[in-house]
Amino acid sequence: MQSMHGIAVLGDPVRREIVEVLLDHPEDAGTLAERFPISRPAVSRHLRVLREAGLVRSETVAQRRVYHVEPEPLRAADAWLARYRSFWEDRLDRLATHLATAPTDDESADG
């Protein structure tokens, strides 16, 4: 499943941050590399992984490679996760209700 591969690729915090930056606006590889405390070749490797996963695409503008987010794989991953989101939201809502109505340690000690 391609959406699962995209989710796995986004497990790396640098790749997630790259995608976050590119969601705001396209950016060239050199400008992206300046944002991170890692080498330019390391940023290029992260961009290659994102490109191979279909999460970003690049275009050549003059002598620069400008990267853009590809929204479709993100939509597919979100659709896959939606099934689990409702599962967890229901359980977290029940936990919040339980915690709001459960006696605190102070109340238990007074009893």
Side-chain angles (χ1 to χ4, degrees):
M1 171 181 278
Q2 184 67 15
S3 61
M4 289 301 296
H5 181 62
I7 291 170
V9 165
L10 291 173
D12 183 282
V14 171
R15 291 184 199 132
R16 283 194 308 271
E17 191 170 342
I18 289 171
V19 170
E20 289 289 327
V21 169
L22 296 177
L23 281 169
D24 290 334
H25 58 280
E27 209 161 274
D28 66 85
T31 304
L32 274 169
E34 291 171 3
R35 294 176 174 267
F36 299 94
I38 57 176
S39 69
R40 285 183 108 135
V43 171
S44 291
R45 284 190 295 274
H46 284 295
L47 287 166
R48 186 186 71 231
V49 170
L50 289 166
R51 195 173 60 248
E52 288 173 354
L55 295 170
V56 301
R57 67 179 167 81
S58 66
E59 67 175 322
T60 303
V61 177
Q63 295 179 344
R64 302 177 313 142
R65 264 199 151 159
V66 178
Y67 287 85
H68 306 262
V69 167
E70 282 292 341
E72 190 51 43
L74 295 174
R75 283 189 203 108
D78 184 57
W80 183 83
L81 287 168
R83 206 172 114 189
Y84 300 95
R85 189 175 300 117
S86 62
F87 170 83
W88 282 109
E89 284 174 352
D90 178 53
R91 278 149 185 83
L92 291 172
D93 288 345
R94 284 192 262 157
L95 175 61
T97 300
H98 172 74
L99 293 175
T101 59
T104 64
D105 288 340
D106 293 339
E107 292 171 343
S108 299
D110 293 338

